[in-house]
């Protein structure tokens, strides 16, 4: 199992067939936190470059037949997402050398320190400290001024083996009969708003965060630093089938950690030109679209220096941006026996397949598991009234269809 810092869906997704020939493998959303204010700073608030509407008042002219819905995302170097990435780097290192490894690894980071803790049983010999430092380096933290330095940060490893009580209930003679590593309830969601069958608000927020990381790495914006956060509010209308349909982008918020010397005017202009325009389709932007670029006015102190990071603290970023439902278990730092992760991917696989195959226009799938048991305890499909009755399948019968078409065992 190759882990990519959690997350159940990306823009690169292609719809799988209804017959279960593959699993989701959706890549993970990035990270970044713009709630880094410096209360002692007297920095002047940014002025507004040409083409940017700056306002602190929401648009009150939303038509009666439409509604607003917002989703947020973070860059891959946001403190919480950095911890997801480190935890998943540990999972990858273990599974690469020992595919039967059992991994439950949590990470916490703060100024100058990274701590991993959890339960790992593996025959692999892992240099955990090196894995951690490599992940911190790849996230762009190579200078204490950025919030963390992979070369000098303190690394603490506090790991134990998996509880034998759990192991005896999970392991089996055949991999296919392996039991779930914990009791869990998970959800998957899909809709027709984007080619990857993800909600538009979530897809755009995720792509904006990914773009923030890209322009930092390729040098397009030399003032940008690793931490960052994005938020997109879409205006939706309900179509004749009762399906929410994206109409326009109501507002975009971007908070990007930056170098000390760059001006707020340049930050705003650069983010609009090099981040927003390459990502958001022009047809969704109009003269009423609201932009807030670094609304705090200053975001020099960022990363773990500004906010402590913790694995699993961005579950909505990692799933559907607030659409559908979320089961509550973190996706990162876990091997496939942990159904919080593998079950969530399976639920997404089902939802995406049902929508792609035309059985409904949108749906949310719930699966429940019991520790030690291979098969899910229950399967529920909610199409929000958009079931198309294809092949005679009703909303009530779709759950039975799923049970016959999908192997939902974690093994």
């Amino acid at each position: 199992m190759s882990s990519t810092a959690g997350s159940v869906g990306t823009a690169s997704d292609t719809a799988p067939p209804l017959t279960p020939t593959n699993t989701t493998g959706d890549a993970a959303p990035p990270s970044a936190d713009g709630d880094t204010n410096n209360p002692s700073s007297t920095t002047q608030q940014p002025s507004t470059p040409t083409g940017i509407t700056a306002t602190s008042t929401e648009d009150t002219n939303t038509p009666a037949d439409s509604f607003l819905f917002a989703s947020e995302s973070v860059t891959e170097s946001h403190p919480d997402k950095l911890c997801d990435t480190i935890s998943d780097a540990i999972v990858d290192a273990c599974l690469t050398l020992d595919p039967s490894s059992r991994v439950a690894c949590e990470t916490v980071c703060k100024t100058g320190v990274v701590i991993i803790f959890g339960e790992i049983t593996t025959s692999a010999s892992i240099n955990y400290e090196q894995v951690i430092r490599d992940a911190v380096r790849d996230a762009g933290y190579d200078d204490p001024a950025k919030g963390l330095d992979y070369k000098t940060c303190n690394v603490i490893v506090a790991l134990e083996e998996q509880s034998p009580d759990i192991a005896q209930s999970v392991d089996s003679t055949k991999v296919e009969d392996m039991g779930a590593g914990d009791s869990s309830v998970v959800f998957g969601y899909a809709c027709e708003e984007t080619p990857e069958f993800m909600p538009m608000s979530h897809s755009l927020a995720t792509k904006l965060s990914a773009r923030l990381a890209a322009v930092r790495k390729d040098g397009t914006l030399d003032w940008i630093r690793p931490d960052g956060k994005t938020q997109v509010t879409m205006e939706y209308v309900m179509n004749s089938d009762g399906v929410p349909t994206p109409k326009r982008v109501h507002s975009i918020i971007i908070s990007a950690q930056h170098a000390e010397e760059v001006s707020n005017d340049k930050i705003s202009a650069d983010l609009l030109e090099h981040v927003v325009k390459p990502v958001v389709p022009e047809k969704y932007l109009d003269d009423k679209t609201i932009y807030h670029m670094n609304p705090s006015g200053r975001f020099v102190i960022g990363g773990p220096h500004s906010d402590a990071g913790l694995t699993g603290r961005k579950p909505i970023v990692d799933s559907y941006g607030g659409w559908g439902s979320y089961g509550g278990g973190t996706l990162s730092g876990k091997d496939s026996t942990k159904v919080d992760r593998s079950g969530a991917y399976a639920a997404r696989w089902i939802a995406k397949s049902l929508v792609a195959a035309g059985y409904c226009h949108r749906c949310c799938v719930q699966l429940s598991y019991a520790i030690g048991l291979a098969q899910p305890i229950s399967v529920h499909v909610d199409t929000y009234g958009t079931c198309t009755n294809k092949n005679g399948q009703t909303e009530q019968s779709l759950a039975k269809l799923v049970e016959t078409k999908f192997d939902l065992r974690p093994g």
Side-chain angles (χ1 to χ4, degrees):
M1 175 183 181
S2 175
S3 53
T4 326
S7 195
V8 294
T10 66
S12 61
D13 274 353
T14 54
L18 184 60
T19 304
T21 56
N22 65 335
T23 53
T24 291
D26 300 348
S31 73
D33 210 273
D35 40 56
T36 312
N37 295 315
N38 184 346
S40 64
S41 171
T42 57
T43 303
Q44 185 177 358
Q45 291 293 323
S47 57
T48 307
T50 303
I52 293 185
T53 302
T55 175
S56 59
T57 305
E58 292 301 326
D59 178 10
T60 57
N61 296 320
T62 305
D65 62 345
S66 67
F67 65 93
L68 301 179
F69 196 94
S71 297
E72 69 172 5
S73 187
V74 293
T75 65
E76 63 190 23
S77 305
H78 177 281
D80 293 329
K81 190 50 61 181
L82 172 63
C83 290
D84 287 345
T85 300
I86 292 171
S87 292
D88 276 337
I90 299 296
V91 175
D92 285 343
C94 292
L95 293 180
T96 297
L97 297 177
D98 177 12
S100 62
S101 296
R102 299 289 181 262
V103 184
C105 181
E106 318 296 333
T107 303
V108 64
C109 66
K110 187 51 186 164
T111 309
V113 63
V114 177
I115 305 171
I116 65 167
F117 50 98
E119 299 77 43
I120 297 180
T121 301
T122 182
S123 63
S125 178
I126 307 294
N127 184 339
Y128 292 111
E129 180 178 345
Q130 190 60 51
V131 172
I132 292 167
R133 292 191 187 279
D134 288 349
V136 174
R137 177 201 62 205
D138 294 345
Y141 288 111
D142 54 8
D143 189 321
K146 297 179 181 179
L148 197 64
D149 186 346
Y150 77 95
K151 301 183 294 294
T152 60
C153 66
N154 189 20
V155 173
I156 300 174
V157 177
L159 297 172
E160 298 178 358
E161 289 196 342
Q162 183 184 59
S163 164
D165 290 351
I166 296 177
Q168 62 86 28
S169 71
V170 172
D171 295 333
S172 62
T173 304
K174 295 174 62 179
V175 174
E176 293 84 354
D177 295 329
M178 180 172 60
D182 200 355
S183 298
S184 183
V185 175
V186 296
F187 294 88
Y189 180 82
C191 61
E192 297 174 322
E193 295 175 29
T194 60
E196 60 270 22
F197 300 97
M198 294 292 267
M200 177 71 76
S201 60
H202 175 63
S203 180
L204 291 180
T206 300
K207 290 176 181 178
L208 286 172
S209 285
R211 181 66 182 167
L212 277 179
V215 296
R216 171 179 59 85
K217 291 178 176 180
D218 66 17
T220 298
L221 300 181
D222 59 3
W223 53 263
I224 205 166
R225 296 295 179 260
D227 200 355
K229 177 179 277 187
T230 62
Q231 186 181 118
V232 174
T233 300
M234 294 290 303
E235 182 180 333
Y236 284 85
V237 295
M238 301 297 288
N239 69 14
S240 58
D241 294 320
V243 179
T245 304
K247 179 181 179 182
R248 57 181 290 271
V249 172
H250 169 272
S251 56
I252 294 174
I253 303 171
I254 299 179
S255 293
Q257 186 186 9
H258 59 84
E260 177 79 47
E261 62 275 5
V262 66
S263 70
N264 287 320
D265 283 347
K266 180 170 176 57
I267 289 173
S268 295
D270 280 354
L271 291 178
L272 181 65
E273 185 65 27
H274 298 289
V275 177
V276 174
K277 288 184 177 180
V279 167
V280 182
E282 188 176 357
K283 66 180 181 179
Y284 292 116
L285 301 174
D286 56 33
D287 57 2
K288 293 183 179 180
T289 299
I290 300 167
Y291 300 88
H292 292 294
M293 305 301 191
N294 273 22
S296 69
R298 179 179 170 88
F299 191 3
V300 174
I301 300 173
H305 187 187
S306 172
D307 298 290
L310 181 65
T311 299
R313 206 159 56 181
K314 287 291 179 283
I316 303 306
V317 169
D318 283 343
S319 52
Y320 310 104
W323 296 88
S325 296
Y326 181 75
T330 182
L331 299 175
S332 294
K334 299 176 178 180
D335 69 86
S336 62
T337 65
K338 314 301 191 291
V339 287
D340 281 339
R341 180 176 208 165
S342 56
Y345 292 166
R348 161 67 175 164
W349 173 36
I350 295 166
K352 186 165 63 173
S353 297
L354 290 174
V355 174
Y359 286 89
C360 53
H361 297 294
R362 61 191 289 243
C363 75
C364 184
V365 174
Q366 184 199 63
L367 307 175
S368 67
Y369 289 88
I371 188 170
L373 302 184
Q375 295 287 355
I377 300 301
S378 65
V379 176
H380 174 69
V381 178
D382 181 1
T383 71
Y384 306 94
T386 69
C387 181
T388 62
N389 297 315
K390 181 179 178 179
N391 297 333
Q393 295 291 336
T394 64
E395 176 136 359
Q396 291 70 30
S397 67
L398 284 178
K400 285 295 182 184
L401 178 67
V402 167
E403 291 173 359
T404 59
K405 292 292 186 179
F406 294 84
D407 187 345
L408 300 175
R409 296 175 293 178

